[in-house]
Amino acid sequence: MTVPSHAVPPVPPPPPVPPASVRPAVKRHHWIVRLTHWATFLVLMGMIASGLQIYAAYARFGERGGPYYVNPFDEYAFPRWSRLGGWLAGGLNWHFTLVWPLIITGTLYLCYLVASGEWRSLLFRPRDIRGAIDMQKYYLRLRKEHPPQGKHNPLQKLAYTFIILLGVLSVVTGFAVYKPTQLSWLTTLFGGFQAARYWHFWAVWIFIAFLIVHVVLVFVVDPASLRAMFSGWYRGRFPSHE
């Protein structure tokens, strides 16, 4: 028996997304997360600037006379405004001073993730691979609809997991360069002093690239997440606590 078309009720259109002003606010970030986020940002800027001042003292990687490691910044003089310390000793003093608050804030953040269980919403796992691919397609305009997500999408989980591991690598290689005699086993593990210095230097540029992409995506995809990192309350497109 065929049902007349006029007897089939029309499918109602999906409800429109309410503007941000009327969306319910949800608690998104604990004060520890917000504190460590901004403290890490400020300290990291100082670490990068003082690191460039240290690099200026010997703008190559490898023992004098070569062979040298591949480096597009070979002998490049970074502008004075981007460096902190004024000279080698000043850069070293700033760098060694700032590393301790960086370690403290990083440790506090990791302890909070473990104690609160929030690590589950940040850790990238094999089940997130498909979602990360879909999210990348959306960013590349190969997919029209934004994939469903919770507090963090799979691509964010991949980025945050990677950047935490990169932070650990930066600290470890930093100590391999800082104490090459006392921690000779660690320096040797990274291939020697110049190799450890080389990987430590490149970690800086990965951090910078991450920061640029992170800021761009925040403004393009979800500006409400920036306000939430100040206030702790989120009123945007992805309100899940996860």
Side-chain angles (χ1 to χ4, degrees):
M1 179 178 176
T2 304
V3 179
S5 59
H6 66 272
V8 179
V11 178
V17 178
S21 58
V22 298
R23 293 173 194 162
V26 297
K27 186 67 175 178
R28 172 59 70 87
H29 298 301
H30 191 276
W31 67 266
I32 293 179
V33 174
R34 304 194 317 270
L35 173 65
T36 55
H37 176 276
W38 294 115
T40 299
F41 170 75
L42 293 175
V43 172
L44 193 58
M45 291 300 99
M47 291 287 291
I48 292 173
S50 58
L52 292 179
Q53 182 64 58
I54 297 169
Y55 171 78
Y58 180 51
R60 285 194 171 191
F61 296 101
E63 302 300 333
R64 295 186 185 276
Y68 296 109
Y69 292 88
V70 177
N71 175 21
F73 301 105
D74 210 13
E75 298 291 353
Y76 176 74
F78 289 98
R80 185 174 296 276
W81 61 260
S82 68
R83 292 179 275 145
L84 176 64
W87 58 311
L88 176 58
L92 288 169
N93 288 336
W94 273 108
H95 211 64
F96 297 153
T97 299
L98 292 173
V99 70
W100 299 112
L102 183 68
I103 292 174
I104 292 170
T105 54
T107 302
L108 176 60
Y109 177 66
L110 291 177
C111 288
Y112 169 77
L113 290 182
V114 173
S116 66
E118 194 170 328
W119 63 271
R120 297 184 183 89
S121 68
L122 279 175
L123 181 65
F124 183 82
R125 283 165 273 194
R127 71 188 187 197
D128 295 314
I129 294 176
R130 180 62 192 174
I133 294 174
D134 290 340
M135 199 68 221
Q136 187 62 54
K137 288 181 178 178
Y138 173 77
Y139 289 143
L140 295 175
R141 303 296 179 88
L142 300 176
R143 174 187 173 122
K144 292 183 179 179
E145 303 83 12
H146 191 290
Q149 72 169 67
K151 184 176 179 180
H152 305 290
N153 68 59
L155 202 58
Q156 284 177 310
K157 293 180 183 181
L158 176 60
Y160 295 152
T161 300
F162 172 77
I163 209 68
I164 289 174
L165 295 176
L166 182 67
V168 174
L169 177 65
S170 299
V171 171
V172 173
T173 53
F175 275 105
V177 174
Y178 179 37
K179 297 289 186 180
T181 301
Q182 296 89 334
L183 299 174
S184 58
W185 62 272
L186 184 61
T187 307
T188 302
L189 182 65
F190 285 105
F193 177 83
Q194 289 294 341
R197 180 172 171 257
Y198 185 70
W199 301 124
H200 189 70
F201 178 81
W202 277 110
V204 170
W205 295 106
I206 298 175
F207 271 118
I208 293 174
F210 170 84
L211 178 63
I212 293 172
V213 173
H214 178 63
V215 170
V216 169
L217 291 181
V218 164
F219 282 102
V220 171
V221 178
D222 191 20
S225 61
L226 177 62
R227 294 189 292 270
M229 191 53 74
F230 284 103
S231 68
W233 292 90
Y234 177 80
R235 192 193 299 270
R237 300 168 59 191
F238 312 109
S240 172
H241 299 277
E242 205 167 287

